[in-house]
Amino acid sequence: MPSIKFQIPHPNEEGCVLTGIIEQQNATIGKEADAHVKPIALIFHGAMGHKDYLFLKKLAQSLPIDSCRFDFRGNHESNGIWYMGEKGFVNDLQDIDAVVAYLKAQYGYRVDLAIGHSRGSIVGMRWLATAPEGQGVSGYVNVSGRYRMKLHTYYDRWREGFEKKGIFHWKVRVAGKEVVREVRPADIRDFEEVDTSFVWTKFPKTTDVLTIHGLDDLVVQPFDAMIYARAFSNRPTATHTLHYVEGADHNFIGHYEEVVDTILGWWDQKTKGKLKDGVWLAG
């Protein structure tokens, strides 16, 4: 299965280059767009993540259709400025638009499936709800997606830094390297104002959704998955399937296989027209 690494200049930020990888199941697919529209899956990473973290690479290489994963602006191999709140979400949407335009122009791809983890899931759902290309996506997988933006522990975790210096240095390891972000109380407030209620009225009415959430998630409470189940269930032209993973945290450490297998099984059932509202693997 050939992998193609690409870099494209960002149309909305001078000097910014987005980096991604296309996994092709069909080695005969050319590098130029042709007359045939080809389906592809998009995979979105979460905050302070990257295109190969957690289960994303394994998933991309296991899907039965071609896939594309990339680093959002200001993350790992994509340069530019990263923002925590609404401005960052808008930038992420622009990043998706740029990548989708590239995939369409260079390869003739049409997005048929999208998968997002954590922040990437919120961005992905918002892209489906607002972008013309997103309206035609037939399947969406929401992994660890937050609904209640104000219900978080960021401020409590970073309170000491805020009180002493007015700033917190968020340190994480990304692809083996330490990355530090400066976060201020205003960034938290901006993050809290991100609106997720659009899923009730603006999300595509024909897109089937799978929600996966770890029952031991301490970053996004598992009940948020139930809220998404309420929003996406009982639609006459699409389904919602809920799957809780026992013992799994926000990043599904030790549970990658179950996440990947669930997505593959759900997509197989979807392609066969066998999905229905409810809990995954229900009788």
Side-chain angles (χ1 to χ4, degrees):
M1 179 176 65
S3 298
I4 301 172
K5 190 171 185 177
F6 65 87
Q7 291 187 313
I8 57 174
H10 203 297
N12 300 98
E13 183 175 331
E14 185 176 356
C16 175
V17 176
L18 298 176
T19 301
I21 297 174
I22 300 170
E23 302 287 356
Q24 293 187 326
Q25 295 293 339
N26 184 353
T28 63
I29 293 179
K31 292 189 176 183
E32 300 294 335
D34 56 31
H36 302 287
V37 176
K38 298 176 282 287
I40 194 169
L42 290 183
I43 303 175
F44 309 127
H45 68 78
M48 303 290 276
H50 61 90
K51 58 187 175 296
D52 284 339
Y53 84 158
L54 308 180
F55 57 87
L56 269 58
K57 182 177 181 179
K58 179 178 179 60
L59 173 63
Q61 295 177 340
S62 302
L63 287 168
I65 64 173
D66 293 0
S67 66
C68 173
R69 62 194 190 277
F70 65 95
D71 297 320
F72 283 109
R73 200 180 324 185
N75 289 274
H76 193 32
E77 294 184 313
S78 293
N79 61 353
I81 302 174
W82 180 86
Y83 297 95
M84 183 174 183
E86 174 64 16
K87 186 173 183 179
F89 280 79
V90 171
N91 283 355
D92 292 346
L93 292 171
Q94 293 177 351
D95 295 349
I96 298 174
D97 285 338
V99 170
V100 169
Y102 168 79
L103 294 172
K104 181 178 180 180
Q106 295 297 316
Y107 299 92
Y109 280 122
R110 173 187 58 80
V111 182
D112 193 37
L113 170 65
I115 302 149
H117 174 252
S118 192
R119 175 193 176 104
S121 187
I122 303 172
V123 173
M125 288 185 281
R126 190 160 157 181
W127 182 75
L128 261 68
T130 58
E133 295 84 354
Q135 296 292 313
V137 176
S138 72
Y140 190 80
V141 181
N142 163 36
V143 185
S144 301
R146 184 188 301 276
Y147 183 84
R148 296 169 295 177
M149 302 301 288
K150 294 183 179 181
L151 193 60
H152 60 78
T153 60
Y154 290 128
Y155 198 95
D156 292 337
R157 288 156 53 193
W158 303 339
R159 183 183 303 277
E160 184 176 354
F162 290 155
E163 292 179 347
K164 288 184 177 180
K165 301 179 180 179
I167 190 172
F168 180 84
H169 291 95
W170 188 6
K171 299 179 181 179
V172 297
R173 295 194 68 80
V174 178
K177 299 179 180 179
E178 185 177 85
V179 174
V180 181
R181 304 287 192 201
E182 292 185 349
V183 182
R184 294 171 172 79
D187 296 320
I188 302 295
R189 292 191 293 271
D190 193 26
F191 175 82
E192 292 177 344
E193 293 304 316
V194 172
D195 183 21
T196 55
S197 65
F198 67 86
V199 297
W200 295 88
T201 58
K202 297 181 180 179
F203 192 82
K205 299 183 184 302
T206 57
T207 302
D208 292 307
V209 179
L210 167 65
T211 294
I212 303 176
H213 212 107
L215 284 174
D216 287 352
D217 190 339
L218 300 179
V219 177
V220 176
Q221 293 193 14
F223 188 74
D224 282 27
M226 185 63 68
I227 299 175
Y228 281 117
R230 291 173 178 171
F232 294 135
S233 295
N234 297 321
R235 293 174 295 159
T237 52
T239 65
H240 179 270
T241 305
L242 175 63
H243 181 57
Y244 281 118
V245 180
E246 186 176 9
D249 62 11
H250 186 66
N251 291 333
F252 296 91
I253 304 302
H255 297 271
Y256 294 168
E257 291 277 351
E258 182 171 350
V259 174
V260 172
D261 289 347
T262 300
I263 294 172
L264 295 180
W266 174 83
W267 183 250
D268 178 67
Q269 291 296 297
K270 175 177 168 49
T271 59
K272 294 176 180 177
K274 296 183 177 181
L275 291 180
K276 59 181 179 180
D277 279 338
V279 177
W280 178 241
L281 298 181

